[in-house]
Amino acid sequence: MAKTKELSKDTRNKIVDLHQVGKTESAIGKQLGLKKSTVGAIIRKWKTYKTTDNLPRSGAPRKISPRGVKMITRTVSKNPRTTRGDLVNDLQRAGTKVTKPTISNTLRRQGLKSCSARRVPLLKPVHVQARLKFAREHLDDPDEDWENVIWSDETKIELFGKKSTRRVWRTKNAELHPMNTIPTVKHGGGNIMLWGCFSAKGPGRLIRVKERMNGAMYREILSENLLPSARALNMKRGWVFQHDNDPKHTERATKEWLRKKHFKVLEWPSQSPDLNPIENLWRELKVRVAQRQPQNITALEEICMEEW
């Protein structure tokens, strides 16, 4: 049988008001366009409970006891990568048979939601301290300073394939807790390697790196693309160049080349790609390229340049 629409509070109160002035249930029903039985139920409820508000409903009993809820909540708090299947099996061994959706609903009521684990750089204590030092040193930098930075990086773009994900149970705003993330490390190779740069004013140059990059090649890329990008972006005098601590970037010859060219370089903490806003640009580029579904390396390169 179809569920009837619940009467508004104003309508329920109107029924009681008309009843109190002496109108019959039939007359009230005709005036408000309601069934006599509906009017009678509202009046009886008001006489019994002195209110027309909805009363708490008992509903079906919970499948999982309070003790069981505590058990599975404690389990996922200790190990967020516990699967729903694991929890179903745990409860079954304790004498409670439930389904996976019941597990999800129960944990959601505890403020826990199944989410994809974030991929973050693998950090050692020295990296943590360097990142904290960087953050403190630049905490009060004005927006104008950041607008005068050219951010750069290399990235690889796959022709096919999809990154795997892992789900974790976590509370809101806990996505970056170490227990809820997947550590990643840098690795070379890939179907197409790109170097690019950008600033708050827009994208600079993007080029494909066709060979294995070394220090000499990196300096050649900077020589041919960094200053032209700065000019095209109309950077202010004293602009700052950012790159990470890849060995090619930090070797003595590269540092000396940058010094001779009088480029100001932003001191950068190791293992901190997540601090570089170009990562957002790379993601946007990869999403747009994937949507166009290139079928070969040549098309992949062409689409990357078009989308950039």
Side-chain angles (χ1 to χ4, degrees):
M1 187 172 67
K3 186 177 179 181
T4 57
K5 187 176 180 181
E6 188 176 85
L7 297 179
S8 68
K9 183 172 175 59
D10 287 343
T11 301
R12 297 195 298 267
N13 289 339
K14 184 69 173 174
I15 290 171
V16 172
D17 292 340
L18 293 172
H19 170 72
Q20 287 180 314
V21 298
K23 289 207 172 187
T24 65
E25 293 177 3
S26 297
I28 296 172
K30 287 181 181 179
Q31 182 174 336
L32 299 180
L34 300 171
K35 291 181 180 179
K36 179 183 175 182
S37 59
T38 301
V39 173
I42 296 297
I43 292 172
R44 287 192 298 275
K45 179 180 180 180
W46 175 77
K47 287 181 176 179
T48 303
Y49 300 105
K50 300 303 179 185
T51 181
T52 61
D53 292 340
N54 289 326
L55 299 174
R57 297 178 173 91
S58 59
R62 300 289 189 198
K63 291 279 188 181
I64 305 176
S65 67
R67 184 176 180 181
V69 172
K70 287 182 180 179
M71 182 184 78
I72 65 173
T73 302
R74 184 166 57 247
T75 299
V76 300
S77 296
K78 289 181 178 178
N79 181 13
R81 299 183 186 186
T82 304
T83 66
R84 293 186 302 172
D86 294 335
L87 297 174
V88 167
N89 293 334
D90 289 347
L91 287 170
Q92 193 163 2
R93 284 191 291 269
T96 303
K97 189 175 181 180
V98 296
T99 62
K100 291 180 180 179
T102 299
I103 294 290
S104 297
N105 294 335
T106 301
L107 290 175
R108 196 173 293 116
R109 285 193 293 270
Q110 303 305 308
L112 295 162
K113 185 172 72 169
S114 178
C115 308
S116 297
R118 294 286 184 92
R119 293 181 178 272
V120 298
L122 181 62
L123 298 178
K124 297 178 181 179
V126 64
H127 299 140
V128 174
Q129 291 302 317
R131 286 159 61 92
L132 185 59
K133 178 175 179 288
F134 176 85
R136 285 172 172 162
E137 288 176 350
H138 296 282
L139 186 62
D140 298 319
D141 288 4
D143 291 348
E144 294 76 21
D145 286 2
W146 296 114
E147 291 170 0
N148 211 32
V149 176
I150 291 183
W151 308 88
S152 73
D153 195 18
E154 300 90 31
T155 193
K156 68 173 183 178
I157 297 189
E158 304 281 352
L159 183 58
F160 303 110
K162 181 181 178 183
K163 297 283 187 182
S164 62
T165 60
R166 185 73 181 267
R167 303 193 76 80
V168 295
W169 293 99
R170 63 169 174 81
T171 55
K172 188 178 180 181
N173 299 327
E175 67 270 19
L176 294 179
H177 189 283
M179 293 178 70
N180 300 330
T181 61
I182 298 176
T184 61
V185 294
K186 296 178 183 178
H187 56 280
N191 286 315
I192 182 172
M193 181 67 71
L194 302 172
W195 175 92
C197 65
F198 90 113
S199 78
K201 298 181 179 180
R205 288 192 175 181
L206 179 74
I207 66 160
R208 179 183 173 188
V209 182
K210 295 186 177 181
E211 300 175 21
R212 186 176 179 85
M213 188 188 291
N214 55 27
M217 182 183 296
Y218 180 64
R219 292 189 292 276
E220 182 178 346
I221 289 173
L222 295 185
S223 177
E224 295 177 357
N225 298 280
L226 181 55
L227 196 55
S229 293
R231 288 170 179 158
L233 292 168
N234 198 25
M235 299 298 290
K236 294 180 181 177
R237 187 170 183 174
W239 58 270
V240 177
F241 174 58
Q242 181 278 338
H243 61 176
D244 61 26
N245 293 316
D246 185 286
K248 299 182 291 294
H249 304 172
T250 57
E251 66 179 42
R252 181 179 299 178
T254 301
K255 287 184 174 180
E256 184 64 18
W257 183 89
L258 289 166
R259 188 187 65 79
K260 287 183 177 179
K261 294 293 183 180
H262 305 290
F263 290 139
K264 293 175 63 176
V265 179
L266 181 64
E267 187 175 344
W268 196 251
S270 298
Q271 284 293 84
S272 300
D274 54 319
L275 300 184
N276 189 345
I278 202 172
E279 293 299 328
N280 300 294
L281 196 56
W282 289 142
R283 175 172 174 77
E284 178 69 19
L285 177 65
K286 291 174 182 179
V287 167
R288 293 192 184 193
V289 170
Q291 289 173 343
R292 294 182 58 177
Q293 300 181 335
Q295 297 301 304
N296 55 60
I297 293 297
T298 301
L300 178 63
E301 180 179 357
E302 291 175 354
I303 291 172
C304 284
M305 299 303 168
E306 290 170 8
E307 293 297 338
W308 184 264

